[in-house]
Amino acid sequence: MASVSKENYLKIIFYLKQHDVKPVSTSEIANELEISNAATSEMAKKLSESGLISYKKYKGIDLTPKGKKVALGVIRKHRLWELFLANVLGLSWAEVHDEAEKLEHISSEKLIDKIDEFLGFPEFDPHGDPIPKKNGKLPKLTGLVKLSEGKVGGIYNVIKVNDLDNELMNYLTRIGVKLYKQIEIVEKLIFDKSIIVKIDNHNINLSEKIANSIYITQLKNAELN
Amino acid sequence: MASVSKENYLKIIFYLKQHDVKPVSTSEIANELEISNAATSEMAKKLSESGLISYKKYKGIDLTPKGKKVALGVIRKHRLWELFLANVLGLSWAEVHDEAEKLEHISSEKLIDKIDEFLGFPEFDPHGDPIPKKNGKLPKLTGLVKLSEGKVGGIYNVIKVNDLDNELMNYLTRIGVKLYKQIEIVEKLIFDKSIIVKIDNHNINLSEKIANSIYITQLKNAELN
DNA sequence: TTTTTATCTTAGGCTTGCTTAAATTAATTA
DNA sequence: TAATTAATTTAAGCAAGCCTAAGATAAAAA
Ligand SMILES: [Mn+2]
Ligand SMILES: [Mn+2]
Ligand SMILES: [Mn+2]
Ligand SMILES: [Mn+2]
């Protein structure tokens, strides 16, 4: 079994690979994990020797099928724990990520499958991210765009939220943003790329950074009236 | 916060201290943790510098109040997790110890308190061990003796079982031994110190080692009739 | 194409927690 | 009490994962 560090490297590589076709560079990983490039280069050598990534010096990194399997296993644990902590034990969606970041590395396959079963084999975690199935399949999220990319006048559903910052999560809770909530885009300011949205009949201004952390789908016209 | 290693040292010192008044020797700890005496001596120095134990070279170790608090915190986490895994997620009492051995080091105070609340502030774990309260108080177990110390003809209740060996737990399950189960001592063999007990109207022979792993209380005469 | 700059890797070093072997102290036996 | 044995600590070294600084390679600019 891979160490905590190695599992975290593999997980990050998987994330970085999702939006890009090119191999992942060591510095991108270093950035994400907040460690030095040097440490990442060393680790790349080791993960490559274990057959978890393919790595050519100066040419970047890709997960091998074996490495991808490990990464998906860790992500599965992470997201199932998050949902369990939120739905069963009543932690807020702001709190679950940090706990899950540790739990993902220590819980056995068997325990995770019990949790999966207990929750009724759910598809999405408390932030809207898809939960990998036991067989490695990842439920699809289609038609997602960032709130910042929505159109003025459009009415949308919140489908997914960036779960990496506690303060953001707490703020979103405070202003009424949660999964599947309806949001209307009232106005977009060119000046600072902030965006004014209507939530629960209140207007509120969201910064560009916040609007980039919220993912939405447009309601079909039929659903609107 | 103490590292995983340090928490394990403190926990073991606490256990070793329970049955003995003398300071705990480094070799006892080394034995229990299955590491070298040398490693334990080194760690003693460090824990002493952090004020978690009192330690004089060659003279053994005691927990300071601060160290005892940490130890009890870890034990609380361990036992609450065990009960949660058994009662909520349906793992067997043979499986929960190993999972809890890892979970005890990573779960936040807040998470543990949620689990405590979810379980209704229980007093005992799946093996009959008392669960330390949030304030550090440990529920009392009185009148416990080892099954090996019971009297022929006596009828007892199983109150606590040694949780350190999976195989033992599974065997006990197979022969019907569980907490609060009634057991009668039918015969004791001098030859190998084994003991014949009646469980569910079956007679079965238990080795000395097994009989030393089961703790019982005598039923009051009034309860016997 | 050559030079400069940016990116990436290697070298050397540190900490934690472990090991074995040697040295020291305490306990036991004579 | 002195000698022997047992228990404990110190010394030296190793692996994992990190760091900073220096060197090598690739990409961009001239
Ligand atoms: Mn998360
Ligand atoms: Mn992690
Ligand atoms: Mn246990
Ligand atoms: Mn432990």
Side-chain angles (χ1 to χ4, degrees):
Chain A
M1 222 214 169
S3 68
V4 170
S5 280
K6 290 191 172 118
E7 287 188 348
N8 281 334
Y9 276 93
L10 294 172
K11 199 175 67 158
I12 292 296
I13 295 166
F14 181 87
Y15 285 141
L16 291 171
K17 208 50 219 293
Q18 284 197 306
H19 303 290
D20 210 331
V21 213
K22 291 174 298 183
V24 177
S25 72
T26 47
S27 56
E28 285 175 283
I29 296 168
N31 223 30
E32 211 59 41
L33 293 176
E34 299 186 279
I35 56 177
S36 69
N37 287 3
T40 308
S41 274
E42 276 181 358
M43 185 57 93
K45 231 181 293 174
K46 291 180 197 164
L47 291 172
S48 174
E49 276 160 22
S50 321
L52 293 160
I53 63 172
S54 62
Y55 167 60
K56 287 261 154 69
K57 272 202 268 181
Y58 298 98
K59 297 295 182 186
I61 290 167
D62 280 298
L63 290 178
T64 61
K66 190 175 154 195
K68 189 175 171 184
K69 199 178 157 193
V70 173
L72 278 165
V74 176
I75 292 168
R76 172 174 159 81
K77 289 179 182 178
H78 182 101
R79 293 180 180 167
L80 280 170
W81 268 117
E82 284 192 343
L83 194 64
F84 187 78
L85 296 179
N87 288 7
V88 179
L89 291 175
L91 273 73
S92 77
W93 72 343
E95 294 168 316
V96 297
H97 177 81
D98 289 346
E99 299 279 353
E101 201 57 45
K102 295 172 282 172
L103 290 164
E104 69 188 7
H105 303 293
I106 61 147
S107 19
S108 70
E109 198 89 3
K110 172 147 192 189
L111 172 51
I112 285 300
D113 291 344
K114 288 274 187 184
I115 289 177
D116 196 14
E117 188 188 341
F118 187 92
L119 294 171
F121 307 103
E123 304 235 294
F124 300 100
D125 82 5
H127 314 99
D129 285 301
I131 299 172
K133 298 288 176 194
K134 195 172 164 55
N135 63 15
K137 282 255 157 63
L138 203 57
K140 276 275 156 12
L141 277 173
T142 54
L144 275 199
V145 288
K146 291 180 180 171
L147 176 56
S148 53
E149 293 162 355
K151 283 172 193 155
V152 171
I155 299 180
Y156 301 90
N157 270 348
V158 175
I159 295 298
K160 183 167 111 62
V161 164
N162 205 320
D163 72 340
L164 297 177
D165 191 274
N166 290 0
E167 200 191 10
L168 171 66
M169 299 265 93
N170 283 326
Y171 178 65
L172 293 180
T173 303
R174 217 162 73 219
I175 63 175
V177 172
K178 53 183 176 181
L179 289 194
Y180 316 119
K181 186 87 171 223
Q182 198 164 302
I183 289 191
E184 179 182 344
I185 298 183
V186 175
E187 193 181 343
K188 287 173 134 180
L189 307 188
I190 315 261
F191 172 63
D192 62 350
K193 292 182 178 159
S194 72
I195 189 168
I196 297 172
V197 296
K198 188 188 274 180
I199 304 169
D200 293 328
N201 268 313
H202 286 276
N203 277 5
I204 187 159
N205 179 300
L206 301 177
S207 73
E208 185 191 11
K209 197 164 177 191
I210 290 179
N212 274 330
S213 302
I214 299 173
Y215 294 80
I216 54 178
T217 46
Q218 181 146 34
L219 289 175
K220 297 217 176 66
N221 283 333
E223 298 172 41
L224 275 178
N225 52 6
Chain B
M1 223 213 167
S3 68
V4 170
S5 281
K6 290 195 171 110
E7 287 188 348
N8 281 334
Y9 277 94
L10 294 172
K11 200 176 67 157
I12 291 297
I13 296 167
F14 181 87
Y15 285 142
L16 291 171
K17 205 57 218 290
Q18 285 198 306
H19 302 291
D20 209 331
V21 212
K22 292 174 298 184
V24 177
S25 72
T26 47
S27 55
E28 286 175 282
I29 298 168
N31 222 31
E32 211 59 40
L33 293 175
E34 298 186 280
I35 57 177
S36 69
N37 288 2
T40 308
S41 273
E42 276 182 357
M43 186 56 93
K45 231 181 294 174
K46 291 180 196 164
L47 291 172
S48 174
E49 276 160 21
S50 322
L52 293 161
I53 63 172
S54 62
Y55 167 59
K56 288 261 154 70
K57 271 203 268 181
Y58 297 99
K59 297 295 181 185
I61 290 167
D62 281 297
L63 290 177
T64 61
K66 191 173 154 196
K68 189 176 170 183
K69 200 177 156 194
V70 173
L72 278 166
V74 176
I75 292 168
R76 172 174 160 81
K77 288 178 182 177
H78 182 101
R79 292 181 181 167
L80 280 170
W81 268 117
E82 284 192 343
L83 194 65
F84 187 79
L85 296 178
N87 288 8
V88 180
L89 291 175
L91 273 71
S92 76
W93 72 342
E95 294 168 316
V96 295
H97 177 81
D98 289 347
E99 299 279 353
E101 200 57 46
K102 294 173 282 171
L103 290 164
E104 68 187 9
H105 303 292
I106 60 148
S107 20
S108 71
E109 198 89 4
K110 173 146 191 190
L111 172 51
I112 285 301
D113 291 343
K114 288 274 188 185
I115 290 177
D116 196 14
E117 188 189 342
F118 186 91
L119 294 171
F121 307 104
E123 303 237 294
F124 300 100
D125 82 5
H127 315 98
D129 285 301
I131 299 171
K133 298 288 176 192
K134 195 172 163 56
N135 63 15
K137 283 256 157 62
L138 203 57
K140 278 274 153 19
L141 276 173
T142 53
L144 276 199
V145 289
K146 290 180 179 171
L147 176 56
S148 52
E149 293 161 357
K151 283 172 193 152
V152 172
I155 299 180
Y156 301 90
N157 271 347
V158 174
I159 296 298
K160 183 167 112 59
V161 165
N162 206 319
D163 72 340
L164 298 177
D165 191 275
N166 289 1
E167 200 191 9
L168 170 66
M169 300 264 92
N170 283 326
Y171 177 65
L172 292 180
T173 303
R174 218 161 71 220
I175 62 174
V177 172
K178 53 182 176 182
L179 290 195
Y180 316 119
K181 186 85 173 225
Q182 199 164 302
I183 289 191
E184 179 182 343
I185 299 182
V186 176
E187 193 181 342
K188 287 173 133 180
L189 306 190
I190 314 258
F191 172 63
D192 62 349
K193 292 182 177 158
S194 72
I195 188 168
I196 298 173
V197 296
K198 188 188 275 180
I199 305 169
D200 294 327
N201 268 314
H202 286 277
N203 277 6
I204 187 160
N205 179 301
L206 301 177
S207 73
E208 184 191 11
K209 198 165 177 189
I210 290 180
N212 275 328
S213 302
I214 299 173
Y215 294 80
I216 54 178
T217 46
Q218 181 145 34
L219 290 175
K220 297 216 177 67
N221 283 334
E223 299 171 41
L224 276 176
N225 61 0

